[in-house]
Amino acid sequence: MSEDMEQSDLERGLRSALRAVDPGEGFAPRVLARIAVEPAQVERPARAGAMVSWLAFGLAASVVLAVLLAHEWQVRRLEQGREARRQLIEALRVTDEKLDLTYRVVNSREGAATAEHSGA
Amino acid sequence: MAVLFSGWRWLAGPLVALAASSALAAPAAMLNLPDFDALAAKATETVNISLDTSLLALAASFLDSSDPDDAATKELIAGLKGIYVRSYTFGQDFAYPAAQVDLVRKQLAPPAWQRLVEVNSTKDHTHVQIYVAADRGVANGLAIIASEPREFTIVNIVGSIDLAKLHRLEGKFGIPKLDLPDSKDGKDGPKDGGKHDR
Amino acid sequence: MSGDGECTGGDLLTRDLAGERAAFGALVRAHQRLFFSLALRMLADRHAAEDLSQEVFLQLYRNLSTVSSESHLVFWLRKVTMHRAIDRLRRAPPLERAAPEEATAAASETEPGDPLLERRLRSLVAELPPAGRAVVLLRFQEDLDPVEIARTLKMPLNTVKSHLRRSLAQLRERMTETADVLT
């Protein structure tokens, strides 16, 4: 490309480079799906007063929802934590059980064991 | 307990080394466990546990530091990055295919893994292998593969764990104390009742 | 504009005033390419572009009764798309802006031209400041003249011309730098 690129070359290049691209076949269905879940917002409030009331209600509802979600999250976290603790204990139990099994076999008369130090 | 503890000395050497090592985040210490859904479908009892770093931290946060046993457990898992357990109990002998076990065993090869112990009881048809993962001479993982007639278990521990400390927790938190068999007649001790259906 | 070509925009508008979502879907398909592209070139992020385009069409659906004709529809879509895109760019901190590679990777249609040059140009356009970028897009993607650009962006005509001049100079300079690096 030469240093002194002509204006027309640049503009031609831009027109070519900036050709429209299609978002894909699923785009329109996704728009319609979004319309389907947000129909309540289609109607605009008739008066400013109604809009303020709607906003205030919406804000209060949001706060309540946030509190409920936080509580639900806490409950879920508690359940998850207890379950994790239970699983930890169980995992340690199984580990210890198998190590004991190894010991039993080693100490039984018929057990044959190979102990190779890892050198660690 | 003293008998139990003294009995650990045969493993204590290399395993203390494991405990003393620093926990390195070596991917090789974490096994790629196959999907055992087919086994689970046939099993009468299943234990399927996967606790990664975040879940271990979550579990640790639910251990009470003011309780001595909880505190001991917390200390025990402090160096861990993951604990993974797959254990299946069946209603009949050798209902699980050896090929499934081999899939895991194949991963436990040098240089990443070294076999620490292998025991085989022809009488009880029990075969246990314990492997340790080492990176530049530092142990950072443990794997146990235990095949019994009606039970198949894999344990993979990523990170460092003091197995002597684990053993000291025996009897706490429902980890039942296991009576050692009489070494003269080779009888097994009472089976623990900790298994459960998932 | 791309689309199924079976209905004119005017027909679709008439049918949509009666609230038919299927007709609105056809309207979206008729115009999606153009306005998605504007959003894409402005935001340089395919996901953000789709999100913004969806919002624009959603807003159109809510305000369909205020649109009087096909040309008004196009003008409205173009105006809202560009204003929303500029708003988003001005609100987002610099680190959150996607790399220009998003925009370059998206345009993969194989049409005659120099793909490397075009890719470079798209990348450079994505680096222009929001207002300059908007002017360049309306000029070279939409083929609008400066007067129409001024109307769409609610910008004084001289400001549009100034943005156009500066942006083209910047693009030319950056392209020359590229040439120097390559030779």
Side-chain angles (χ1 to χ4, degrees), chain B residues 35-54:
Chain B
D35 185 352
F36 288 119
D37 281 355
L39 278 187
K42 289 195 292 185
T44 56
E45 291 175 26
T46 300
V47 177
N48 186 333
I49 294 171
S50 295
L51 296 171
D52 60 11
T53 310
S54 60

Side-chain angles (χ1 to χ4, degrees), chain C residues 1 9 23 66 72 116 121 125 127 154:
Chain C
M1 292 175 204
T66 66
H72 184 200
L116 289 178
L121 278 170
V125 167
E127 291 174 9
K154 286 189 180 175

Side-chain angles (χ1 to χ4, degrees), chain C residues 25-71:
Chain C
L27 186 150
V28 171
R29 274 186 287 276
H31 297 284
Q32 64 185 36
R33 185 183 169 96
L34 194 65
F35 301 103
F36 172 76
S37 295
L38 277 180
L40 180 64
R41 308 277 185 231
M42 283 298 291
L43 301 179
D45 181 321
R46 198 172 183 94
H47 294 297
E50 163 135 359
D51 185 58
L52 185 139
S53 315
Q54 282 186 14
E55 280 179 21
V56 171
F57 279 107
L58 192 62
Q59 190 176 346
L60 172 66
Y61 183 77
R62 293 173 190 159
N63 296 282
L64 210 48
S65 58
T66 66
V67 178
S68 57
S69 65
E70 170 77 10
S71 60

Side-chain angles (χ1 to χ4, degrees), chain A residues 20-35:
Chain A
V21 292
D22 199 281
E25 282 190 15
F27 180 82
R30 287 193 290 274
V31 171
L32 293 176
R34 205 162 156 177
I35 288 169

